[in-house]
Amino acid sequence: MSSVEERELAEVRMIEEGLRSVYDGDAEGVIEAFNGLRGFAINLVNLNITAEYELDAKALIIAMGDIGRETAERGMKTASIASALALGEVVVEAADRERESLALKALSVLGNLSLEFGRKNLDAAAKSAAESLGNVGKASSRKKMEIMTGLSEVYLMRLAMKAMEENLSETWDTALNYLGEIGVSSAEQGIEKDAVGAAILLEELGSAAVRKQNEPRVKSVIKTLGKLGRELFQMGSKNALVQTVWALETLRILAKEQEMENAVSAGKRELELLSTAGILDEEQNLEKIQEIKEFHRQILKRG
């Protein structure tokens, strides 16, 4: 038996062991299986990729997602957390090695799994997935991988939406904070589209919170936007700052219409701290933002 055949057989056995442990309710066995599968996947990422190796790696990543969904179905908290951590490490490794095809596949599996955790009301697992998505977004921005960074933002926004629906407070806070951090990281790397994208998605989250009459969530989005805006102001990232100010003003007005006085006050305070009077009136800036919004809409569709 060749070394490749031995590796493939070991992978199959580990997948079977992971599923068997899930069905037996053996969380430690599932965690051990994920550690092994993560190692196999990272090894494949670091090989000189051939078509065969890439297919093998993608099949392995899909299997990890399948096992993760089974843990969610059975409410296995620690095993679900392990699945999010393992997939997150695979995505980051693939991004660091600039294996974009594998990174995108693993990110897709992780993003969809995070939403499954949200649907099953597994706050700790969903929070862990949010952390993994956030780390992926920041790692991708450092590599200037625009699509990867944008998709990470989209998955975090969707997870935050689910967290708001299911009242998963830890997941909400984590997803929100990482969205802002990815925006800052993108601006630092000069990836304007993803810096603007973070502000756009935060505005969408805030608008959804207004529609749900959830003032505490509106305030938390406003504070995140304010923090992002101050970082962007320091870096001179003008277009992203324009979008952030635009988002803050939009949320302030929406909150005012719904008589959310605390959110209105928070919005006004953050706008004053940014000291950006007149920035929304610059026609050239607004035209640029529309272009970037259209780009981000395309990213959202692919996500």
Side-chain angles (χ1 to χ4, degrees), residues 35 38 42 83-96 110 132 136:
N35 287 336
R38 176 194 58 204
I42 287 177
S83 69
L85 292 174
L87 281 165
E89 288 184 29
V90 173
V91 187
V92 170
E93 183 69 22
D96 283 344
L110 173 62
S132 291
V136 168

Side-chain angles (χ1 to χ4, degrees), residues 134-277:
N135 289 329
V136 168
K138 292 165 72 173
S140 299
S141 69
R142 288 193 294 270
K143 288 289 185 178
K144 298 189 177 183
M145 301 170 77
E146 291 187 7
I147 302 298
M148 283 285 298
T149 307
L151 283 175
S152 299
E153 292 174 337
V154 168
Y155 278 123
L156 278 170
M157 183 274 287
R158 289 179 171 175
L159 182 54
M161 288 284 197
K162 179 57 65 177
M164 183 160 52
E165 291 173 12
E166 303 293 339
N167 197 27
L168 307 178
S169 58
E170 290 189 4
T171 301
W172 165 268
D173 290 340
T174 302
L176 198 65
N177 288 336
Y178 269 111
L179 261 177
E181 289 181 17
I182 294 172
V184 172
S185 180
S186 297
E188 287 174 343
Q189 300 301 323
I191 311 176
E192 182 179 59
K193 291 176 180 177
D194 289 325
V196 171
I200 291 170
L201 294 176
L202 286 168
E203 180 186 334
E204 291 184 19
L205 280 175
S207 298
V210 171
R211 291 193 297 273
K212 291 180 178 294
Q213 296 288 308
N214 194 328
E215 187 170 15
R217 297 288 193 239
V218 179
K219 282 184 62 180
S220 63
V221 173
I222 286 172
K223 288 182 179 179
T224 301
L225 278 165
K227 182 179 178 181
L228 173 61
R230 289 190 292 277
E231 294 277 1
L232 295 171
F233 184 79
Q234 291 295 323
M235 287 185 283
S237 184
K238 194 166 186 180
N239 286 314
L241 178 60
V242 170
Q243 174 57 41
T244 302
V245 173
W246 191 347
L248 280 168
E249 179 64 9
T250 298
L251 294 182
R252 186 191 68 80
I253 291 170
L254 291 175
K256 185 175 182 179
E257 291 173 352
Q258 298 298 319
E259 299 182 351
M260 296 179 173
E261 294 182 6
N262 290 332
V264 172
S265 296
K268 183 178 180 181
R269 183 167 55 253
E270 295 296 347
L271 285 165
E272 289 173 348
L273 287 172
L274 287 175
S275 302
T276 52

